[in-house]
Amino acid sequence: MCIRDRRRVHGVYGRILAQKHYEKLYKEFVITDLSRAHTGKIGMRWRTEDEVLNGKGETICCARKCKETKGLCSYELLFSYREDNQIKSALVKARCCRECAAKLNSKKTHKKLD
């Protein structure tokens, strides 16, 4: 294999790795809707590009209306969703402040990561 072929292979491989990392940014953390948490129902959705860039759900509390940045705890949640008419599920992370963590765990205790 000549040097040019190696560069081409590494370039393609680099693009594939970058694409996988980019997709992971959106699907590692979620935004939660805790408005019905008292009934045990928690709404979750993937983060938008703006939320990824602003740090919402990772460095800012994952609750939809909360903007707290201090004292965040990570929780692992099972997120079931529909994609291409197939039901899928994924383990995702939710980073929330103490107040939102109390709402998140009001009916069911979720696994705390840190």
Side-chain angles (χ1 to χ4, degrees):
M1 182 181 280
C2 72
I3 293 174
R4 288 183 189 159
D5 291 337
R6 287 184 187 161
R7 286 184 189 156
R8 194 173 304 136
V9 168
H10 289 298
V12 171
Y13 182 68
R15 281 192 296 259
I16 291 170
L17 282 179
Q19 181 65 30
K20 285 184 179 183
H21 177 70
Y22 185 75
E23 290 170 359
K24 184 181 173 191
L25 286 175
Y26 291 96
K27 292 193 172 189
E28 184 175 7
F29 294 94
V30 292
I31 302 299
T32 59
D33 183 356
L34 300 173
S35 62
R36 296 185 184 181
H38 62 280
T39 64
K41 295 180 181 179
I42 299 168
M44 288 185 267
R45 66 172 173 81
W46 300 120
R47 301 187 298 164
T48 63
E49 184 175 4
D50 288 339
E51 289 168 337
V52 170
L53 295 174
N54 293 331
K56 180 71 174 169
E58 189 173 1
T59 58
I60 303 171
C61 181
C62 68
R64 190 170 51 98
K65 295 181 179 179
C66 185
K67 298 191 181 344
E68 185 64 47
T69 58
K70 296 179 182 170
L72 299 180
C73 298
S74 295
Y75 292 90
E76 190 173 66
L77 307 171
L78 182 61
F79 180 27
S80 296
Y81 60 99
R82 183 181 300 261
E83 185 176 65
D84 298 328
N85 285 333
Q86 293 181 349
I87 296 175
K88 297 183 178 183
S89 61
L91 280 175
V92 294
K93 295 177 188 170
R95 295 207 16 106
C96 44
C97 64
R98 293 175 198 257
E99 185 179 323
C100 294
K103 291 178 187 176
L104 182 71
N105 291 311
S106 64
K107 291 288 181 182
K108 179 182 175 184
T109 304
H110 298 282
K111 183 179 177 185
K112 191 172 181 178
L113 295 178
D114 48 61

